Amino acid sequence: MERVEVCVRDGKLVGIVEKGIYGGRYVAFRGIPYAKPPIGELRFKDPVPPEPWSGSRDASKYGNVAVQIDIIQKSEIIGDEDCLYLNVFTTDIKSSEKRPVMVWIHGGGFYIGSGDSTFYGPDYIVEKDIVLVTLNYRLGVLGFLNLYDKVATGNQGLKDVILALHWVQENISEFGGDSENVTIFGESAGGAIVHYLTLSQLSEGLFHKAISQSGTVTCPWAFTDPESYSTNKGFLLAKKLGKVTEDPKDVYEFLKTIDAKKLVETEKFLVTEEERRQFLVIFTPTLDHESSNPVFPEDLTTLIHRGVKVPYLLGFTSCEGSFLLKSNFIGCISKEALNRVDSDFKLAIHPRVLNTLPKISTTLCQLRSLYFGDKNISEETVANYINLISDTYFLRGIMQAVDIQMNNDNSGKTYLYQFSYESETSFMKKISNVDFPGVSHGEELGYLFYADIIKELGLSVPVPDSEDYKMINRLTQMWTDFAKTGNPTPAITDLTPIKWIPLKREAVYDYLDIHIEPRMKTLHKGKQRWDWENMNNISYDYSVYKI
C-alpha cells in the first residue's frame, strides 16, 4: 500500500494512494482534525482549532461522522460528538502549478449526512485537476441549538464549516492546492450553507466562488425565526428529558450532561404530526446576535438583499418535490395523510411561507385552485401536490435568491440551471425508491460523486460511452470549469457544446437545462408556476405543467 506524507500546521499526516473507479490514481488524506473535539465544555460552543500532534498521524481512514439517525437503518443512532474532520483528495500532490480547490458541504436537512465516501467519493471530480476537500460539521441539536442567550447562541455547525475553510487557507498549499482559488459547493442544506457563507463577514475572503444546488437561505426550511415555535425547541428538548425550566442557563447545563445519542434520539420526538407533514426541520441556522462572534451581525433580510458578490452558480432539479412525498427517506405519503391535507390545505404549505402570504384564507383558496383546480387532494392528484411541494420548499426560495442577484449591481456573475437528465439507472432514485417521473431532489449528486453505497447495494457504475457516463463527465467538467475560471463553459467542446449564459438584468431568466442535449432556455418573470404574487397572470393547466 503506497503512502504519502505531508506536513500541515498541526503535524505530519500520512495519506494513502487509491485507485480510481475508472482507473487512474489519486492520493487520499482522510480524517484530518480541523477543530478540537466539541465535547464536554465545548458542547454547544464555537469550534476551536485542534491541538498539534507529535509524530505521524495516519490519514488513511475517515473520521467519525456527526451523531445522527442512520439514513439507511432509520431506528439506529450512529456517529460521535468527536466529528470535526475533513478529507483532502488530489491526483498530484506535487503539481508544478497550484490547483483550484473545491470544498464540498454535504446536505441532509442540517440533521443527517457526512463528508465521507458513503455518498461523496472523490473519484469523478479529482480527475479534472482539482483538489477536493470534503468535511463533517455538527448536526441537529449539537450543531444548531440556540437558547438566545450567550450560553448557547446557535449556528455551531456553520462556524464548524467556517473553521474548516480557515484550515484550507492555511494548509491546502501543502496538497498542491491554490488557497487563492477556492470554490465552496453544496446541495440541499449544504447549498443553503454555501449561500449563508456568501453573506457572512466571518467567511469573507475564505473562498472565491460558490455553487448552491437545490438549496438557498431563502428556502423556508433553511432558517428558524424565534417566533417560528410557541416554545423554543431547546427548552422543549430539556422538558422531554425531564428538566422543566425557563432559564436558558439551566437548560444549557442540563443538556450538557445528557449523552449525545440520547439527545439526538429525543430530538425526533419534538415534531408534532402537523409539523412533520409540513416537513419542518427542528434545528437549523438562526440569528445569533447573543454571540460575541455572530455569523449574522444584522438581520437576515438585510444580508440577503446585499446579494452574493462572488461568481455564483445555482439551480434545481426538474421534480424536487417527489423526494418529500414519494421516497424511502421521508416516506411515501399515505392516503390518510393526503386526506388530512385535503381537509386542511394549510398543512401543504410551510409555516414560514404561510406567514408571508397576504389574506391567508383567500390566498390558500387561490393556491388550491391553481394547483388542483376543482379536484380533491388524493392519490389521483399526487402529481399536482408534488408540483406544489417543489415550488413551496425549493423553487420559490431559489428564484428569490436569483431575483436578488439580478437586481443587485454588486453581484458576481450568476448562472442558473435546471437538472433534468432522467435515467433509469439513477442510483439516487434506486436507493430512495422514488417511483415518480422527473428528476428528484439530490439526483444530480450521482453524477458528481462516486458513492461507496453503490457497491454495498450491488449496483454498478456507468460504463464508459453510456449516457450516464457522459453526464458524469459533463457535470464534473462544468462544475470544475466554474471552479477554475468562474465560467462553467469557458470553451465549446463535445462535453460542453452550449455556452451557458449568465443571468442578465431583464424580465427573463436565462438558464441551462442540463440534459443529454443541454440547451439554454428562458423563463419569463411573473408567469411561472411559483409566482404566486402574480397568480392572475398565470394561465397554465397545473395538472400537467412542468417547468
Side-chain angles (χ1 to χ4, degrees), residues 459-476:
L459 303 172
S460 53
V461 293
V463 295
D465 298 330
S466 65
E467 289 196 343
D468 285 0
Y469 181 81
K470 190 173 182 180
M471 185 51 69
I472 288 170
N473 237 334
R474 170 168 294 142
L475 206 58
T476 53

Side-chain angles (χ1 to χ4, degrees), residues 16-181:
I16 192 169
V17 177
E18 299 275 18
K19 190 176 176 198
I21 198 70
Y22 288 117
R25 285 146 60 89
Y26 62 86
V27 189
F29 292 86
R30 304 184 179 99
I32 305 169
Y34 68 84
K36 271 187 186 169
I39 57 178
E41 290 304 311
L42 291 178
R43 182 187 277 187
F44 306 130
K45 296 297 186 187
D46 291 4
V48 294
E51 296 285 351
W53 58 86
S54 57
S56 297
R57 182 186 175 95
D58 177 24
S60 63
K61 296 184 179 68
Y62 287 105
N64 302 322
V65 303
V67 183
Q68 61 191 278
I69 298 166
D70 187 340
I71 197 167
I72 308 297
Q73 312 291 330
K74 286 196 171 60
S75 56
E76 197 182 330
I77 306 290
I78 58 168
D80 197 290
E81 265 193 283
D82 174 8
C83 64
L84 299 183
Y85 298 94
L86 56 75
N87 319 291
V88 181
F89 307 96
T90 178
T91 53
D92 186 1
I93 208 149
K94 292 186 169 63
S95 172
S96 56
E97 282 186 29
K98 295 291 184 195
R99 293 179 166 198
V101 180
M102 295 184 76
V103 180
W104 174 250
I105 303 166
H106 71 78
F110 307 105
Y111 67 94
I112 54 173
S114 78
D116 69 24
S117 59
T118 306
F119 286 96
Y120 308 118
D123 302 51
Y124 306 158
I125 286 178
V126 290
E127 288 301 315
K128 305 285 188 184
D129 296 327
I130 287 287
V131 177
L132 176 68
V133 178
T134 63
L135 56 89
N136 300 338
Y137 52 93
R138 282 173 283 177
L139 301 169
V141 62
L142 294 164
F144 297 95
L145 175 71
N146 193 343
L147 297 173
Y148 297 96
D149 182 277
K150 65 181 188 302
V151 293
T153 58
N155 298 335
Q156 300 88 346
L158 291 182
K159 289 180 176 178
D160 293 343
V161 179
I162 291 167
L163 189 58
L165 291 173
H166 277 287
W167 186 97
V168 168
Q169 283 299 307
E170 290 169 8
N171 297 289
I172 207 67
S173 62
E174 303 300 328
F175 302 85
D178 184 354
S179 61
E180 292 181 15
N181 192 2

Side-chain angles (χ1 to χ4, degrees), residues 494-515:
D494 287 348
L495 270 182
T496 53
I498 297 291
K499 183 167 179 52
W500 190 340
I501 299 162
L503 293 165
K504 301 186 284 286
R505 294 193 60 169
E506 291 175 14
V508 295
Y509 307 101
D510 295 314
Y511 71 98
L512 184 70
D513 185 37
I514 301 174
H515 204 276

Side-chain angles (χ1 to χ4, degrees), residues 332-443:
C332 276
I333 191 162
S334 65
K335 196 171 181 178
E336 295 70 37
L338 286 165
N339 287 340
R340 273 199 300 278
V341 175
D342 187 54
S343 58
D344 186 2
F345 183 65
K346 74 174 186 295
L347 290 177
I349 313 292
H350 192 285
R352 280 192 74 213
V353 176
L354 272 179
N355 293 340
T356 65
L357 297 177
K359 296 181 184 164
I360 285 180
S361 56
T362 322
T363 311
L364 285 175
C365 287
Q366 285 179 297
L367 279 178
R368 181 172 181 137
S369 170
L370 209 51
Y371 283 84
F372 297 92
D374 55 3
K375 294 179 179 164
N376 288 344
I377 299 169
S378 66
E379 288 169 328
E380 284 70 51
T381 54
V382 164
N384 308 54
Y385 193 6
I386 286 172
N387 279 345
L388 173 61
I389 290 288
S390 296
D391 294 351
T392 308
Y393 289 81
F394 299 100
L395 271 69
R396 277 174 59 80
I398 291 166
M399 295 309 291
Q400 191 185 337
V402 165
D403 281 335
I404 290 164
Q405 291 303 98
M406 290 169 76
N407 295 327
N408 200 311
D409 289 331
N410 300 317
S411 291
K413 275 194 176 171
T414 303
Y415 295 87
L416 177 65
Y417 73 85
Q418 174 184 263
F419 188 84
S420 58
Y421 172 67
E422 195 174 352
S423 170
E424 292 289 310
T425 51
S426 159
F427 100 87
M428 287 300 282
K429 196 163 247 181
K430 278 191 165 65
I431 62 164
S432 59
N433 203 24
V434 172
D435 61 343
F436 194 81
V439 182
S440 184
H441 185 65
E443 271 192 74

